[in-house]
Coordinates of all heavy atoms in Angstrom, one line a residue:
G511 N 30.0 -10.0 -18.6 CA 31.1 -10.9 -18.9 C 30.9 -12.3 -18.4 O 31.7 -13.2 -18.8
E512 N 29.9 -12.6 -17.6 CA 29.6 -13.9 -17.2 C 28.6 -14.6 -18.1 O 27.6 -14.0 -18.5 CB 29.1 -13.9 -15.7 CG 30.1 -13.5 -14.7 CD 29.5 -13.6 -13.3 OE1 28.3 -13.9 -13.2 OE2 30.3 -13.5 -12.4
S513 N 28.9 -15.8 -18.4 CA 28.0 -16.6 -19.3 C 27.0 -17.5 -18.6 O 26.2 -18.2 -19.2 CB 28.8 -17.4 -20.3 OG 29.6 -18.3 -19.6
S514 N 27.1 -17.5 -17.3 CA 26.3 -18.4 -16.5 C 25.8 -17.6 -15.3 O 26.0 -16.4 -15.1 CB 27.1 -19.6 -16.0 OG 28.2 -19.2 -15.3
L515 N 25.2 -18.3 -14.3 CA 24.7 -17.7 -13.1 C 25.9 -17.2 -12.3 O 27.0 -17.7 -12.4 CB 24.0 -18.8 -12.3 CG 22.8 -19.4 -13.0 CD1 22.1 -20.4 -12.0 CD2 21.8 -18.4 -13.5
E516 N 25.6 -16.2 -11.5 CA 26.6 -15.6 -10.7 C 27.4 -16.6 -9.8 O 26.7 -17.3 -9.1 CB 26.0 -14.5 -9.8 CG 27.0 -13.8 -9.0 CD 26.4 -12.7 -8.1 OE1 25.2 -12.8 -7.9 OE2 27.1 -11.9 -7.5
S517 N 28.7 -16.7 -10.0 CA 29.6 -17.5 -9.2 C 29.4 -19.0 -9.4 O 29.9 -19.8 -8.6 CB 29.4 -17.1 -7.7 OG 29.6 -15.8 -7.5
L518 N 28.7 -19.4 -10.4 CA 28.4 -20.9 -10.6 C 29.6 -21.4 -11.5 O 30.1 -20.8 -12.3 CB 27.1 -21.1 -11.3 CG 25.9 -21.2 -10.3 CD1 24.6 -21.4 -11.1 CD2 26.0 -22.3 -9.3
P519 N 29.8 -22.7 -11.3 CA 30.8 -23.4 -12.1 C 30.3 -23.5 -13.6 O 29.2 -23.1 -13.9 CB 31.0 -24.8 -11.5 CG 30.5 -24.6 -10.1 CD 29.4 -23.6 -10.2
M520 N 31.1 -24.2 -14.4 CA 30.7 -24.3 -15.8 C 29.4 -25.0 -16.1 O 28.6 -24.6 -16.9 CB 31.9 -25.0 -16.6 CG 33.2 -24.1 -16.6 SD 33.0 -22.6 -17.5 CE 32.9 -23.3 -19.2
E521 N 29.3 -26.2 -15.5 CA 28.1 -27.0 -15.8 C 26.9 -26.5 -15.0 O 26.5 -27.1 -14.0 CB 28.4 -28.5 -15.5 CG 29.5 -29.0 -16.4 CD 29.8 -30.5 -16.1 OE1 29.1 -31.1 -15.3 OE2 30.7 -31.1 -16.7
V522 N 26.3 -25.4 -15.4 CA 25.2 -24.8 -14.7 C 24.0 -25.7 -14.5 O 23.4 -25.9 -13.5 CB 24.8 -23.5 -15.4 CG1 23.7 -22.8 -14.6 CG2 26.0 -22.6 -15.5
E523 N 23.6 -26.4 -15.6 CA 22.4 -27.1 -15.6 C 22.5 -28.3 -14.6 O 21.6 -28.6 -13.9 CB 22.1 -27.7 -17.0 CG 21.7 -26.6 -18.0 CD 21.4 -27.1 -19.4 OE1 21.4 -28.4 -19.5 OE2 21.1 -26.4 -20.3
G524 N 23.6 -28.9 -14.6 CA 23.8 -30.0 -13.7 C 23.8 -29.6 -12.2 O 23.2 -30.2 -11.4
V525 N 24.4 -28.4 -12.0 CA 24.4 -27.9 -10.6 C 23.0 -27.5 -10.2 O 22.6 -27.8 -9.1 CB 25.4 -26.7 -10.5 CG1 25.3 -26.1 -9.1 CG2 26.8 -27.2 -10.7
E526 N 22.3 -26.8 -11.1 CA 21.0 -26.3 -10.8 C 20.0 -27.5 -10.5 O 19.2 -27.5 -9.6 CB 20.5 -25.4 -11.9 CG 19.1 -24.8 -11.6 CD 18.7 -23.8 -12.7 OE1 19.5 -23.5 -13.5 OE2 17.6 -23.3 -12.6
E527 N 20.2 -28.5 -11.4 CA 19.3 -29.7 -11.2 C 19.6 -30.4 -9.9 O 18.7 -30.8 -9.1 CB 19.5 -30.6 -12.4 CG 18.6 -31.9 -12.3 CD 18.8 -32.8 -13.5 OE1 19.5 -32.4 -14.4 OE2 18.3 -33.9 -13.4
S528 N 20.9 -30.4 -9.6 CA 21.3 -31.1 -8.3 C 20.8 -30.2 -7.1 O 20.3 -30.8 -6.2 CB 22.8 -31.2 -8.2 OG 23.2 -31.6 -7.0
G529 N 20.9 -28.9 -7.3 CA 20.4 -28.0 -6.2 C 18.9 -28.2 -6.0 O 18.5 -28.2 -4.8
D530 N 18.2 -28.3 -7.1 CA 16.7 -28.4 -7.0 C 16.4 -29.8 -6.3 O 15.5 -29.8 -5.4 CB 16.1 -28.4 -8.3 CG 16.2 -27.0 -8.9 OD1 16.3 -26.0 -8.2 OD2 16.0 -26.9 -10.2
N531 N 17.1 -30.8 -6.7 CA 16.8 -32.1 -6.1 C 17.1 -32.1 -4.6 O 16.3 -32.6 -3.7 CB 17.6 -33.2 -6.7 CG 17.2 -33.5 -8.2 OD1 16.0 -33.2 -8.5 ND2 18.1 -34.1 -9.0
K532 N 18.2 -31.4 -4.2 CA 18.5 -31.3 -2.8 C 17.5 -30.5 -2.1 O 17.1 -30.8 -0.9 CB 19.9 -30.7 -2.6 CG 21.1 -31.6 -3.0 CD 22.4 -30.8 -2.8 CE 23.6 -31.7 -3.2 NZ 24.8 -31.0 -3.1
A533 N 17.0 -29.4 -2.7 CA 16.0 -28.6 -2.1 C 14.8 -29.4 -1.8 O 14.2 -29.3 -0.8 CB 15.7 -27.4 -3.0
E534 N 14.4 -30.2 -2.8 CA 13.2 -31.0 -2.6 C 13.4 -32.0 -1.5 O 12.5 -32.3 -0.6 CB 12.8 -31.8 -3.9 CG 12.4 -30.8 -5.0 CD 12.1 -31.5 -6.3 OE1 12.3 -32.7 -6.3 OE2 11.8 -30.8 -7.3
G535 N 14.6 -32.6 -1.5 CA 14.9 -33.6 -0.4 C 14.9 -32.9 0.9 O 14.4 -33.4 1.9
G536 N 15.5 -31.7 1.0 CA 15.6 -31.0 2.3 C 14.2 -30.6 2.7 O 14.0 -30.5 3.9
G537 N 13.4 -30.2 1.8 CA 12.0 -29.8 2.1 C 11.2 -30.9 2.8 O 10.3 -30.6 3.6
K538 N 11.5 -32.1 2.5 CA 10.7 -33.2 3.1 C 11.3 -33.6 4.4 O 10.6 -34.4 5.2 CB 10.8 -34.4 2.1 CG 10.1 -34.2 0.8 CD 10.2 -35.4 -0.1 CE 9.5 -35.1 -1.5 NZ 9.6 -36.2 -2.4

Side-chain angles (χ1 to χ4, degrees):
E512 291 184 351
S513 58
S514 60
L515 304 181
E516 181 181 15
S517 303
L518 275 179
M520 293 294 291
E521 297 180 1
V522 178
E523 295 182 0
V525 173
E526 185 172 353
E527 181 179 353
S528 174
D530 290 339
N531 291 337
K532 287 180 181 179
E534 293 176 2
K538 295 177 182 178

